[in-house]
Amino acid sequence: MTDLTRKTATELAQSLRAGDFTSTEVTRAHLDRIESVEPTINAFITTTADAALATAADVDRKRAAGEDLHPYAGVPIALKDLVVTQGIRTTAASKMLENWVPPYDATVYQKVQEAGLPLLGKTNLDEFAMGATTEHSAFGNTTNPWDTTRSPGGSSGGAAASVAAFEAPLSVGTDTGGSIRQPAAFNGLVGVKPTYGSVSRYGIIAMASSLDQVGPLARTVEDAAALHQILAGHDRHDSTSLTDEVPDFTAAAHAGAQEGLKGKKLGVIRQLQGEGWDVGVIARFNEALELAQKAGAEIVEVDIPSIGYAVEAYYLIMPSEVSSNLARYDGMRYGLRVEPSEGPVTAETVMAATRAAGFGKEVKRRILLGTYALSAGYYDAYYGSAQKVRTLVQRDFAAAFDKVDVLVSPTSPTTALPFGVEDDADPMALYMGDIATIPANLAGIPGMSLPSGLSDGLPTGLQLLAPAREDARLYTVGGAFEAELNGHLGGPILDQIPQL
Ligand code: GLN
């Protein structure tokens, strides 16, 4: 039998509809793959084989009975372990929630269940999504399937590695400053951060509420579009949820692949290149631009001057929200509870002991930073100034989108980094690695990373950014770019991943 784990989600969906094989067979193939590669990859914190097979059997039964099913019903999926799942342990990769079994479902998980996608498991991440390497997990590192001495990126490192290692055809991640797009780039995948408010955050363990978005990771633009379609839509449980109709992303991806890049105006962000950017990353980026130009796209240079302050503003706004959101882990309500080893047991001492034991180093660093930035006397100078920069970033993007259809840049200045960088490096240096992705979160606009070829055997990513609520445009242009790049590179780069 052909290896079912090598097929894209769309191929699987088509074959399932045609009756070539059952969802039970597809799900089993992925569970077998998980069993064989997890000792090396560690993409999952929890696997849910029984639940997956139960959903698969249910879909198979309904299909046999001729019931109306979602077009992707029966295609398995993995969820970042920040998505709350009723009855299934949800940890945020933190000791704080090591044994937490949620009493309710996140809206996105409810949608995934309604569509009939069997859940394979919950994937690894940096604790509470804070990090860029998945090394800040209380459950061990995830490795990059392209080179297992390297990190898969983060924070959705497990979500990305699971799809690149053929453990899951689709996965759901979250992106607060790049955590879908950067690991997508480092694993040779397509990853999308939707417009802020267009996918429900209800039941997503909060990192920084004004920046967090949920989105798809997949092997093709079409697969990402199909998953995005399932996830998006208004939710009355999320006060920031947009009421817009969900556009047909799959149709947009198809139209793009057909129409190509002719006549599209692409804006190259001048601030996202130059010193500090890997030579190979820039080379692949310039080749993509040349291809686009040959295909009839118009390339213009644009300035987003406020990008020069974006990372600094993010590292004030994000920790401020983190310090407030993580106040709920107090040892009283749910999650870990640790009593002090000596002295009186009071609310305060339990809280202190619980938080000292439950949070890792990076989470503590950000809580301290945020608490400081919000304290009386510093609030205006730090948080207030950062909010002003945020407004400037939004204005700069709005002005740029008056001139072009989409903005383009490399997704990250580097390819996947070796392990240990988080320990040795100055945290600021690592934080700067997110310079290309953070601005979109500050502005609330959608972004996509798609594979743009290899540099020294490691994947690079091409980032596309569109105006808020124009996520469909990412799929049109992304579909066109993917077709061009596959033609140029001789097929999807994932075909070149070393065997595990
Ligand atoms: N790497 C960034 C950070 O550490 C982004 C994280 C994210 O998007 N969740 O904050």
Side-chain angles (χ1 to χ4, degrees):
M1 199 168 77
T2 52
D3 186 352
L4 296 178
T5 64
R6 292 274 162 166
K7 294 187 182 296
T8 65
T10 303
E11 287 165 353
L12 289 172
Q14 280 161 353
S15 299
L16 285 168
R17 290 198 300 270
D20 298 343
F21 36 75
T22 63
S23 174
T24 303
E25 288 169 313
V26 174
T27 304
R28 263 194 214 289
H30 286 91
L31 291 169
D32 289 348
R33 175 74 181 167
I34 288 172
E35 212 172 285
S36 79
V37 303
E38 269 303 278
T40 319
I41 302 294
N42 193 35
F44 287 89
I45 292 177
T46 305
T47 50
T48 50
D50 293 346
L53 289 168
T55 305
D58 188 46
V59 168
D60 289 338
R61 187 184 50 74
K62 286 181 175 152
R63 201 180 311 270
E67 283 184 38
D68 213 13
L69 292 169
H70 187 279
Y72 283 70
V75 176
I77 191 167
L79 298 178
K80 184 176 186 176
D81 206 15
L82 205 61
V83 180
V84 163
T85 46
Q86 185 173 357
I88 300 168
R89 173 172 87 132
T90 302
T91 68
S94 180
K95 279 201 197 102
M96 196 58 99
L97 295 176
E98 194 171 357
N99 300 307
W100 185 54
V101 179
Y104 73 108
D105 280 334
T107 298
V108 290
Y109 181 46
Q110 223 164 42
K111 286 173 181 274
V112 159
Q113 285 174 294
E114 277 159 20
L117 273 50
L119 176 66
L120 297 165
K122 309 289 297 288
T123 59
N124 202 9
L125 62 149
D126 289 294
E127 183 177 8
F128 288 102
M130 299 178 210
T133 64
T134 316
E135 287 173 276
H136 296 303
S137 164
F139 297 84
N141 292 346
T142 296
T143 63
N144 190 313
W146 286 85
D147 173 352
T148 54
T149 67
R150 288 172 191 268
S151 144
S155 65
S156 312
S162 71
V163 177
F166 304 101
E167 296 173 271
L170 297 171
S171 71
V172 171
T174 65
D175 190 312
T176 302
S179 282
I180 291 174
R181 289 161 289 159
Q182 181 255 39
F186 288 1
N187 287 274
L189 303 176
V190 178
V192 177
K193 177 205 106 63
T195 294
Y196 182 76
S198 66
V199 176
S200 169
R201 287 183 297 108
Y202 179 71
I204 305 302
I205 295 176
M207 177 180 163
S209 309
S210 79
L211 301 158
D212 297 344
Q213 258 304 280
V214 184
L217 285 135
R219 296 191 201 122
T220 66
V221 171
E222 186 182 32
D223 282 5
L227 177 53
H228 194 160
Q229 197 90 43
I230 292 171
L231 302 177
H234 178 67
D235 180 12
R236 65 184 178 84
H237 294 302
D238 174 354
S239 62
T240 59
S241 175
L242 297 172
T243 52
D244 304 10
E245 280 279 319
V246 180
D248 191 338
F249 297 124
T250 315
H254 290 162
Q258 298 251 302
E259 291 159 17
L261 289 165
K262 196 169 164 49
K264 298 278 186 261
K265 271 194 159 182
L266 312 179
V268 177
I269 304 175
R270 216 189 303 263
Q271 282 73 17
L272 296 179
Q273 49 192 312
E275 214 185 306
W277 292 71
D278 276 5
V279 181
V281 166
I282 295 295
R284 293 299 89 74
F285 177 63
N286 287 333
E287 283 161 20
L289 291 182
E290 267 170 47
L291 275 180
Q293 205 158 20
K294 277 202 199 120
E298 191 186 331
I299 316 278
V300 292
E301 288 232 322
V302 298
D303 278 302
I304 310 281
S306 54
I307 280 183
Y309 310 101
V311 174
E312 288 81 351
Y314 172 82
Y315 274 94
L316 288 167
I317 294 169
M318 174 273 295
S320 297
E321 295 185 19
V322 160
S323 78
S324 152
N325 272 329
L326 271 61
R328 70 190 70 171
Y329 305 106
D330 56 6
M332 307 289 151
R333 285 174 281 200
Y334 63 106
L336 185 73
R337 176 190 172 89
V338 178
E339 297 196 352
S341 48
E342 51 191 49
V345 177
T346 66
E348 260 166 52
T349 60
V350 169
M351 224 179 277
T354 300
R355 290 166 71 84
F359 290 138
K361 172 179 89 181
E362 184 64 21
V363 169
K364 284 178 183 156
R365 175 155 47 213
R366 296 189 191 201
I367 291 173
L368 287 173
L369 206 60
T371 308
Y372 182 77
L374 289 180
S375 55
Y378 294 112
Y379 182 93
D380 282 338
Y382 292 123
Y383 187 73
S385 308
Q387 291 291 16
K388 286 180 190 157
V389 171
R390 187 171 192 172
T391 303
L392 289 180
V393 173
Q394 286 162 350
R395 286 189 191 152
D396 282 356
F397 273 119
F401 285 125
D402 279 345
K403 294 184 233 137
V404 298
D405 296 315
V406 297
L407 292 166
V408 293
S409 77
T411 306
S412 171
T414 66
T415 53
L417 301 172
F419 287 115
V421 179
E422 293 263 17
D423 295 332
D424 320 330
D426 155 19
M428 261 323 276
L430 202 72
Y431 294 169
M432 288 312 284
D434 292 329
I435 187 156
T437 48
I438 279 173
N441 300 78
L442 289 174
I445 62 173
M448 171 187 280
S449 179
L450 66 150
S452 55
L454 302 179
S455 165
D456 285 334
L458 294 171
T460 65
L462 169 67
Q463 178 177 239
L464 310 177
L465 300 172
R469 300 180 139 116
E470 296 293 339
D471 306 46
R473 203 182 290 177
L474 295 177
Y475 289 103
T476 324
V477 179
F481 248 122
E482 180 183 60
E484 284 294 340
L485 283 160
N486 282 349
H488 171 69
L489 300 165
I493 62 168
L494 212 54
D495 289 351
Q496 295 176 50
I497 195 168
Q499 284 283 340
L500 281 171

